[in-house]
Amino acid sequence: MLDFIARRLIAIIPVLAVVAVFVFLMLRLTPGDPAAVIAGDNATSDQIADIRNKLGLDEPIWTQFAIWIGNVLQGNFGESFFFKKTVAELIAQRVEPTLALAICTLVFAVSISVPIGVMAAYRQGSLIDKAVMGFSVLGFSVPGFVIGYCLIYVFAIELGWLPVQGYVRIGVNFWQFAERMVLPSLTLSVGFVALISRITRASVLEVLNEDYIRTARAKGLSNRVVLMRHALRNAAVPILTVIGLGIAILIGGAVVTESVFGLPGLGRLTVEAVLSRDFPTIQTVILLFSVVYVVINLLIDISYTLFDPRIRY
């Protein structure tokens, strides 16, 4: 196990190196000059050139990359062009709303999608099964921002039950925090629920046709025990896999969801940084998202052994 973890951790290094090179080149080669954004519309060419010199943007592209990656390896992520703060400070200020949104979404999505996926498999061909399959298609088809605006219109504008935008820290007021997390979490979890419930249904349906399930039923075990202890546990590996892959949905959806609901998280920071061509902030946030995605998938790979004793690393 330790050898496997060590190999996977070492494999993270080239992945992050590729991400760093790709993001750096993509930002430098696409149109748009941060110096022109900072200088404003009425700036002269000399003023823009002076800002480029101060930011180091007049250096050759590989020199800029070497300087940036060297600073990153030392734990220095640079200073934001736009916010005039260190990138590390910006991320520390914005990480809590994104983390809260991701945890609420993950808990809600898994607690809803797994049971309805199991029920759809158990009641194959029934109205429940058809409803789950229809919801899966709908959840994949409708964009997240459309779902968000529909929820805002119904629950915030028409019914007035929940606030539209804003964020309150959980340590300040728990109930206001919970109120402001409901709509963003629901919006972000629709696609996640559709994905997990569909895979859960397919995995459990396959397991229900195995001989050991018929043996468990022949021994007189209840349907609940058969489904939860035997079927779901043996179907857990594909479900865990798709949960890990679904982290990408959370990362991508957080950008849109935080913008729709005005949450001051990393997703909204990414949008603001892209619009202002804030290279250090964009590079660091994307690198951070990559680290989180790789580490979570490593943890899910390790958790396979808890559900299937045949798997050994």
Side-chain angles (χ1 to χ4, degrees), residues 112-300:
I112 294 296
S113 58
V114 173
I116 65 174
V118 172
M119 286 303 300
Y122 179 67
R123 303 278 189 180
Q124 184 185 12
S126 67
L127 184 61
I128 295 177
D129 184 24
K130 294 177 181 177
V132 170
M133 295 301 293
F135 173 77
S136 299
V137 175
L138 187 65
F140 282 126
S141 304
V142 182
F145 69 91
V146 174
I147 297 172
Y149 286 130
C150 290
L151 291 176
I152 288 174
Y153 178 76
V154 174
F155 293 102
I157 297 176
E158 290 295 322
L159 299 177
W161 290 352
L162 297 167
V164 178
Q165 292 183 329
Y167 176 76
V168 176
R169 300 184 65 179
I170 189 171
V172 175
N173 189 308
F174 174 78
W175 294 112
Q176 290 185 9
F177 164 82
E179 283 180 343
R180 284 161 174 79
M181 281 290 106
V182 171
L183 292 182
S185 299
L186 285 175
T187 300
L188 192 52
S189 59
V190 169
F192 210 25
V193 170
L195 176 65
I196 299 175
S197 62
R198 190 179 185 93
I199 298 299
T200 301
R201 175 189 178 276
S203 300
V204 173
L205 200 58
E206 182 179 356
V207 169
L208 287 177
N209 294 322
E210 297 291 338
D211 291 338
Y212 58 83
I213 296 296
R214 286 193 289 270
T215 302
R217 285 172 172 164
K219 289 166 63 177
L221 297 179
S222 64
N223 288 329
R224 183 182 63 83
V225 173
V226 171
L227 286 174
M228 302 305 296
R229 184 179 298 178
H230 296 278
L232 183 58
R233 182 170 183 176
N234 287 280
V237 171
I239 299 171
L240 287 173
T241 301
V242 80
I243 290 175
L245 296 175
I247 299 299
I249 297 178
L250 291 182
I251 294 173
V255 175
V256 177
T257 305
E258 288 180 4
S259 299
V260 171
F261 291 95
L263 298 178
L266 293 178
R268 190 174 176 187
L269 176 64
T270 304
V271 174
E272 294 171 354
V274 169
L275 294 176
S276 60
R277 306 291 294 172
D278 193 347
F279 290 168
T281 303
I282 300 171
Q283 292 162 183
T284 305
V285 171
I286 293 179
L287 205 59
L288 175 63
F289 283 155
S290 302
V291 171
V292 171
Y293 182 75
V294 173
V295 170
I296 288 178
N297 276 277
L298 171 61
L299 295 176
I300 288 177

Side-chain angles (χ1 to χ4, degrees), residues 53-75:
N53 179 261
K54 290 179 180 179
L55 297 177
L57 298 175
D58 55 350
E59 297 286 346
I61 189 168
W62 293 114
T63 303
Q64 295 181 44
F65 179 77
I67 294 172
W68 174 67
I69 204 68
N71 290 333
V72 168
L73 293 175
Q74 297 175 27

